[in-house]
Amino acid sequence: FASMTHRHGVNDKFTIELEGQLSRHQQMLSYGTVLTHQTLGAVHAVGAISHHDNKQGTALSVAMTHQRPVLNLGANVVVQSRDYVNLDAFNQLQPLHYTGQFFANMPLNRHGSLSASYTHQKPFDAAKFSFIQVNYSANLRHWGTLSASLTHTMDAKKDTLTQINYSLPLGNSTNAH
């Protein structure tokens, strides 16, 4: 297995990148650009081709993030052919034809942060599905960290999953010994 990424800053606002992945039975090559713009934020576009088991696939990804002190916004769209593979996702159980995601994050100063996202996905061999997610997290200083999330599916089932997590540090060590 081998992987290579090369990025070149053309100027302060424009970067190009080339990535290659190679294994015994699989290869992937991608070319991308990142453009920073005062109004749009950062726009990242990538095109990729892959080859495995005598099959060729393609993928296209476009993402935008806009960061401000009060609110961070973003969107991400990925479209890929059935035979596209990436070494990072080679064992993916259900390949996706497309994924679209919109998200927002708002820091709440000393009171933590709040984020929300909407995701829409379409697998090749299954019905499309969508879900929304809301997350809150807060650092409780020496008392630990509290986070909560709510995920609601928008498909026929309309399932809702809630999760609350509390982490308490057991000392000052940052590494397990």
Side-chain angles (χ1 to χ4, degrees):
F1 168 75
S3 178
M4 178 273 308
T5 301
H6 176 74
R7 289 187 178 96
H8 175 71
V10 176
N11 57 40
D12 288 345
K13 299 192 179 291
F14 187 68
T15 301
I16 57 175
E17 61 184 29
L18 179 67
E19 178 183 6
Q21 297 177 354
L22 176 67
S23 72
R24 187 174 186 177
H25 301 287
Q26 177 182 340
Q27 303 83 38
M28 188 278 297
L29 181 66
S30 69
Y31 176 80
T33 60
V34 179
L35 173 69
T36 57
H37 188 270
Q38 187 174 1
T39 305
L40 296 176
V43 179
H44 188 201
V46 177
I49 58 172
S50 69
H51 179 267
H52 71 100
D53 300 328
N54 294 323
K55 298 177 184 175
Q56 298 212 18
T58 58
L60 177 65
S61 170
V62 178
M64 186 230 37
T65 56
H66 187 74
Q67 298 182 353
R68 292 290 182 239
V70 178
L71 183 66
N72 302 319
L73 300 172
N76 181 10
V77 176
V78 178
V79 179
Q80 64 188 42
S81 67
R82 179 182 293 275
D83 292 325
Y84 176 76
V85 292
N86 181 321
L87 287 174
D88 298 336
F90 188 72
N91 293 321
Q92 189 176 13
L93 297 176
Q94 197 172 38
L96 298 173
H97 177 58
Y98 66 83
T99 300
Q101 183 178 45
F102 303 94
F103 56 90
N105 181 329
M106 183 171 53
L108 302 173
N109 299 324
R110 297 181 320 201
H111 304 289
S113 67
L114 183 65
S115 64
S117 66
Y118 169 79
T119 303
H120 181 78
Q121 296 182 325
K122 171 63 177 101
F124 281 102
D125 299 321
K128 62 185 175 183
F129 62 96
S130 302
F131 59 93
I132 56 173
Q133 189 170 39
V134 177
N135 301 297
Y136 171 77
S137 65
N139 184 346
L140 306 174
R141 299 183 190 202
H142 62 277
W143 294 103
T145 305
L146 177 67
S147 62
S149 69
L150 176 82
T151 304
H152 180 72
T153 60
M154 311 287 280
D155 60 4
K157 288 183 177 182
K158 302 241 187 264
D159 290 331
T160 301
L161 170 69
T162 56
Q163 183 176 13
I164 296 175
N165 183 35
Y166 172 71
S167 298
L168 177 66
L170 300 176
N172 293 330
S173 177
T174 57
N175 296 319
H177 295 286

